[in-house]
């Protein structure tokens, strides 16, 4: 007995279970929408494959043998696994199952991404979401290599990969200078409540790493105002580490405004940073996204496109259109071949015949 030689089919297992459950080939055939001869033939095939009798006839139907009892348990397990496979594949197709791996930058880690993850998990609880935090120089290669499905965070000019990445902007978010509540710059600041950037440079800073656009914008702002970057600094992109350092020291950090808005232990310094900001969005690999179809180019001079001739729109062509012979010669030739000429010029007979074939006959 070899159950893996290709003779055993799924229909054998379903019929075996149906006969066992209903106790009759007739009722099993009805439940599977089969004829009784087809069900009986399938059962005989299964017993030939198993090389053992699986059922014996009794006055009220069919009773499983010890071999039938044993095989039914395995058949149920196989059918159950197939159903689970179907549900799994259906869930993957509908986005209900599987894994989504998201890369996040500082701008999207605090507000946008947590809200999106919470909403998605509420709608699709079986979906596994993996979040990886990093800088663009780490996340973008992972995105192009297929390790990430997309990234959420700051978008800007196209990176070195050029058209290999596609960006979709979501919203614009200002960046503020953040300190702890009760910071000396808030309590002992100049009269009028205005703090200059030079006042903040007297304290230690938490800066983004050099690979980030925010660090480059801060460097451009400092150079424009003739100021150096802080020498007493820590370079960090982790929001949790930055928050802990701000609460425990008098450091100054650059943080998105939405991060500060929901944290009562942090405050924003009244320092204007007009050239520093974030456009938050989604970045995807271009080869895994479907570009939008470009709109049709406008016609010269405007107006709608000219309508095609009725014969071409109907899918009927005039076989004599490309015939170089004169029209009268073509008519005589067609009449000689047995076709009845129809008034209206070449192609008229074909159009009439086309209409006859596609219009129901009226009695």
């Amino acid at each position: 007995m070899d159950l893996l030689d290709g003779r055993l089919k799924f229909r054998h297992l379903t019929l075996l279970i149906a006969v066992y459950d209903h106790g009759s080939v007739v009722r099993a055939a009805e439940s599977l929408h089969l004829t009784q001869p087809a069900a009986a033939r399938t059962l005989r095939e299964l017993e030939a494959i198993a090389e053992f009798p699986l059922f014996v006839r009794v006055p009220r139907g069919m009773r499983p043998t010890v071999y039938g009892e044993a095989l039914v348990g395995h058949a149920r397990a196989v059918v159950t696994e197939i159903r689970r496979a179907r549900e799994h594949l259906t869930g993957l197709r509908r986005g209900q199952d599987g894994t989504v791996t998201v890369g996040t930058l500082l701008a999207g880690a605090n507000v946008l991404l947590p809200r999106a993850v919470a909403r998605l998990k509420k709608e699709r609880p079986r979906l596994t979401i993996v979040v990886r935090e990093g800088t663009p120089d780490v996340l973008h290669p992972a995105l192009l290599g297929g390790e990430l499905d997309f990234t959420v965070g700051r978008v800007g000019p196209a990176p070195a990969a050029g058209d290999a990445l596609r960006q979709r902007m979501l919203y614009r978010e200002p960046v503020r200078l953040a300190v702890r509540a009760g910071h000396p710059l808030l309590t002992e600041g100049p009269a009028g409540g205005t703090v200059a950037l030079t006042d903040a440079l007297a304290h230690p800073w938490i800066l983004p790493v050099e690979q980030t656009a925010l660090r480059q914008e801060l460097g451009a702002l400092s150079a424009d105002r003739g100021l150096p970057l802080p020498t007493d600094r820590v370079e960090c992109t982790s929001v949790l580490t930055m928050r802990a350092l701000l609460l425990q020291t008098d450091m100054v950090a650059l943080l998105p405004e939405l991060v500060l808005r929901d944290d009562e232990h942090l405050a924003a310094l009244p320092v204007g940073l007009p050239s520093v900001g974030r456009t938050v969005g989604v970045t995807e690999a271009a080869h895994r996204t479907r570009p939008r179809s470009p709109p049709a180019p406008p016609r010269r001079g405007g107006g709608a496109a000219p309508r095609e001739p009725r014969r071409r729109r109907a899918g009927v062509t005039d076989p004599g259109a490309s015939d170089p012979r004169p029209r009268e010669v073509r008519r005589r030739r067609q009449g000689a071949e047995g076709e009845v000429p129809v008034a209206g010029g070449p192609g008229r007979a074909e159009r009439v015949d086309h209409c006859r074939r596609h219009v129901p006959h009226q009695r």
Side-chain angles (χ1 to χ4, degrees):
M1 176 180 60
D2 186 3
L3 299 181
L4 300 178
D5 60 359
R7 293 182 297 161
L8 183 62
K9 307 297 182 182
F10 191 73
R11 57 185 173 86
H12 294 129
L13 302 182
T14 56
L15 179 66
L16 173 66
I17 297 173
V19 174
Y20 182 90
D21 291 340
H22 294 281
S24 167
V25 174
V26 175
R27 291 193 291 271
E30 292 176 353
S31 67
L32 296 177
H33 305 287
L34 298 174
T35 63
Q36 181 180 353
R41 183 174 61 253
T42 302
L43 183 58
R44 289 195 300 269
E45 293 175 357
L46 180 58
E47 290 182 327
I49 295 172
E51 299 179 357
F52 293 107
L54 302 177
F55 293 91
V56 294
R57 292 187 177 277
V58 294
R60 295 186 177 180
M62 305 284 286
R63 178 173 57 83
T65 65
V66 63
Y67 306 108
E69 289 275 3
L71 190 56
V72 162
H74 294 289
R76 290 190 191 277
V78 172
V79 172
T80 299
E81 287 301 319
I82 293 297
R83 288 174 178 169
R84 289 178 179 174
R86 179 192 62 187
E87 294 174 357
H88 189 191
L89 294 177
T90 302
L92 289 175
R93 183 179 62 183
R94 297 178 178 177
Q96 300 289 343
D97 294 326
T99 301
V100 177
T101 305
V102 185
T104 179
L105 306 173
L106 177 61
N110 185 69
V111 178
L112 176 64
L113 185 58
R115 291 178 180 176
V117 169
R119 181 175 179 179
L120 184 60
K121 289 296 293 180
K122 184 177 180 180
E123 296 177 355
R124 304 176 182 183
R126 297 196 306 268
L127 188 67
T128 300
I129 302 175
V130 179
V131 179
R132 291 175 50 184
E133 187 175 350
T135 54
D137 62 310
V138 176
L139 296 181
H140 287 170
L143 184 61
L144 294 174
E147 301 175 24
L148 300 175
D149 293 301
F150 58 92
T151 63
V152 178
R154 176 171 182 151
V155 297
D163 294 337
L165 296 177
R166 181 169 287 110
Q167 297 175 336
R168 183 155 45 96
M169 300 180 183
L170 299 178
Y171 64 91
R172 175 77 177 175
E173 181 179 18
V175 173
R176 305 294 298 275
L177 288 183
V179 295
R180 63 176 176 85
H183 192 278
L185 287 175
L186 296 174
T187 59
E188 304 173 3
T194 303
V195 179
L197 186 59
T198 53
D199 299 326
L201 292 175
H203 294 267
W205 277 54
I206 305 174
L207 293 181
V209 295
E210 294 183 358
Q211 294 82 3
T212 60
L214 183 58
R215 172 68 173 272
Q216 298 172 6
E217 290 182 356
L218 179 62
L221 176 64
S222 300
D224 183 62
R225 298 187 181 184
L227 300 173
L229 286 176
T231 55
D232 185 2
R233 65 177 185 248
V234 174
E235 297 186 359
C236 176
T237 58
S238 171
V239 175
L240 293 177
T241 303
M242 294 173 65
R243 184 177 186 277
L245 288 174
L246 289 174
L247 294 178
Q248 298 173 18
T249 67
D250 290 337
M251 286 185 168
V252 180
L254 289 166
L255 285 177
E257 189 175 64
L258 289 178
V259 175
L260 299 175
R261 183 179 302 174
D262 298 330
D263 196 329
E264 59 182 7
H265 300 288
L266 298 179
L269 291 176
V271 178
L273 302 174
S275 61
V276 180
R278 293 174 181 266
T279 300
V280 181
V282 175
T283 302
E284 302 169 287
H287 66 276
R288 294 202 303 271
T289 59
R290 187 181 306 172
R292 297 179 179 178
S293 301
R299 292 182 49 81
R300 182 176 300 178
R307 299 180 63 182
E308 296 182 356
R310 183 180 301 274
R311 183 182 302 121
R312 184 174 301 173
R313 286 189 289 110
V316 180
T317 57
D318 182 5
S322 58
D323 196 334
R325 295 175 298 176
R327 180 178 301 177
E328 295 299 328
V329 175
R330 290 200 302 269
R331 287 184 180 177
R332 290 196 298 271
R333 178 61 177 171
Q334 292 169 355
E337 292 176 353
E339 179 182 346
V340 180
V342 180
R348 172 69 175 174
E350 289 82 357
R351 291 199 298 272
V352 172
D353 183 65
H354 174 81
C355 293
R356 287 173 178 170
R357 290 196 306 268
H358 290 80
V359 176
H361 179 64
Q362 301 289 340
R363 293 189 176 182

